[in-house]
Amino acid sequence: MPCAHPGRAKRHDWPQLGDGHNARMAITVGFDLDMTLIDSRPGIRACYQALSERTGTYIDADLAVTRLGPPLAEELINWFPEEEVATVADVYREMYPSIAIAETPALPGAREAIAAVRETGGRAIVVTAKYEPNAKLHLAHLGIEPDAVIGDLWAEQKAEALREHDAGVYVGDHVGDVRGARTAGALSVAVATGPCPPEELRAAGADVVLTDLTEFPGWFSDYRPARA
């Protein structure tokens, strides 16, 4: 199935809006972390390789990084007995900061997407399945400063944080992110930078599909007046 152009509204010459109008239109936007704001593949690959060496258990790190999104335990169960997964996950998380943080770059447009929300008086939050302390380390290392970071939530669980922060939009790269947005009653904006192709994201119910976050500021600029 050919990839259609992302669901971007045609730009219009919107009237200038005063500060009071901007305040009424302010919105909280949630962002996923792995493969939405950051390219976590190099760091996670290195961490899996180190974990394999430490435990003596084979892990295909190249395969593992093609299916990022779900919680760590869902990947580890492919390589370790079920009764060992919780312990191995603790070892992985302990190793992670010294191995993965420096290896992980921001994805194109990540900083600009956060800034686009902030510039309108809105709030930008990160809601991720990643272990929250490590998520915060990634953002601090990259100089990305959201208004809140909520970790350890996957798929429909993300709706808890999105509702708590009254998020009207959630941006993610996985069908699990689409489910989280829809469960929360938020607009689902998907970016095709993770393991799920555009047609899969659309089939899961994404309202908008962008190629990557470089397209987000333009889309958001159009969305706010249209929403009003």
Side-chain angles (χ1 to χ4, degrees), residues 70-184:
L72 174 62
E74 292 191 23
E75 182 60 45
L76 293 180
I77 196 66
N78 295 306
W79 315 105
F80 296 89
E82 184 176 359
E83 63 274 13
E84 295 180 13
V85 166
T87 299
V88 173
D90 287 340
V91 173
Y92 174 95
R93 291 180 180 122
E94 178 186 342
M95 299 168 63
Y96 191 94
S98 62
I99 296 172
I101 302 299
E103 297 294 320
T104 301
L107 280 166
R111 294 179 178 86
E112 293 81 359
I114 298 288
V117 177
R118 290 270 186 75
E119 286 167 2
T120 66
R123 298 179 71 246
I125 66 172
V126 172
V127 183
T128 174
K130 188 178 287 295
Y131 181 54
E132 187 173 303
N134 288 341
K136 290 178 177 178
L137 287 175
H138 274 299
L139 294 163
H141 176 74
L142 295 170
I144 298 174
E145 300 180 353
D147 294 284
V149 179
I150 306 96
D152 305 292
L153 296 175
W154 162 239
E156 289 84 355
Q157 296 172 342
K158 294 187 174 187
E160 302 170 18
L162 296 174
R163 288 183 183 129
E164 180 182 350
H165 290 269
D166 196 25
V169 175
Y170 184 60
V171 185
D173 66 283
H174 198 283
V175 293
D177 299 322
V178 176
R179 299 202 307 269
R182 295 186 70 84
T183 301

